[in-house]
Structure formats: C-alpha cells, structure tokens
C-alpha cells in the first residue's frame, strides 16, 4: 500500500489459497490479484476451482471460475458502478445411473 486510506491512495494485493470443501468431497484452490486505487476497487485476475464437485448422484469434474473482464467497483456517492465478466468452465458431469453431460462453459457479466 502507498499512502492508503479508504478511497484515497493505492493498495495493490495478491491472494492465493487452497483447502478442502468437505460437503462436496472436493479440494479447491484460488489465486488472483487486484488493487484499490482511490475510489476504484478492481479485481484484475481470478482463478478459483475444484478438483471435482460431488453431490448425491452427480459429479462435475474440474469446475473453474475465471475472469473474462476485470471486476470494477467504482465507489462514487453520486454514481456508483459495478461491472465485470466471468466464465465458469466445467468438465464432464457424470450421474450414477451412467448418463453424462459434456464439458461446458457458462459465461456471464455483472453490472
């Protein structure tokens, strides 16, 4: 951080981690970076995912959420804005009865 106070100055960060998500029998990881520059909070990199998600009779392989466009939150009292775009990439989805769904990508934006 450089001369940082909320909405004044610059704070750049990186984050990372890993762990277990016991309810869905999964291991997860997260990594990314961003900054808070004056009134703008920006997430410029994100990658978070699981080795699998297993719930009941369904198992999704390697779902991962990544940024398509940076997430930006402009903290203005008169005209605040929030925007960004993300993509959820998932491998094959299997069901215990033998049926499957092919790998898929869900892209979405936030405003």
């Amino acid at each position: 951080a450089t001369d940082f106070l909320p909405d004044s100055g610059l704070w750049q960060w990186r984050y990372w981690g890993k762990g277990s998500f016991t309810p869905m029998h999964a291991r997860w990881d997260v990594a990314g970076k961003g900054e808070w520059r004056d009134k703008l909070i920006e997430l410029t990199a994100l990658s978070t995912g699981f080795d699998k998600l297993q719930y009941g009779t369904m198992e999704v392989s390697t779902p991962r959420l990544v940024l398509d466009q940076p997430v930006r939150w402009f903290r203005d009292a008169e005209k605040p804005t929030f925007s960004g775009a993300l993509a959820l990439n998932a491998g094959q989805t299997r069901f215990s009865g033998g049926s499957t769904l092919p790998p898929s990508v869900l892209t979405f934006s936030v405003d």
Side-chain angles (χ1 to χ4, degrees):
T2 305
D3 298 322
F4 179 78
L5 292 171
D7 298 333
S8 176
L10 174 63
W11 175 24
Q12 295 174 312
W13 66 83
R14 291 185 182 273
Y15 56 93
W16 60 91
K18 61 183 178 177
S20 297
F21 187 45
T22 305
M24 294 200 159
H25 311 283
R27 291 188 318 269
W28 63 268
D29 64 84
V30 64
K33 65 181 181 176
E35 69 178 32
W36 188 345
R37 182 183 303 270
D38 301 323
K39 294 184 182 224
L40 177 65
I41 299 174
E42 186 173 36
L43 186 58
T44 55
L46 167 70
S47 178
T48 186
F50 298 89
D51 62 336
K52 65 179 177 180
L53 290 176
Q54 184 178 357
Y55 185 77
T57 63
M58 176 191 70
E59 181 178 307
V60 180
S61 63
T62 61
R64 180 153 295 277
L65 182 68
V66 296
L67 287 180
D68 260 3
Q69 295 177 1
V71 172
R72 293 183 174 108
W73 178 18
F74 186 63
R75 299 166 36 94
D76 183 77
E78 306 267 331
K79 190 174 180 182
T81 60
F82 184 86
S83 64
L86 300 108
L88 177 62
N89 300 285
Q92 185 179 59
T93 300
R94 292 179 298 281
F95 299 91
S96 62
S99 56
T100 62
L101 295 173
S104 59
V105 177
L106 170 67
T107 57
F108 58 97
S109 61
V110 293
D111 281 308

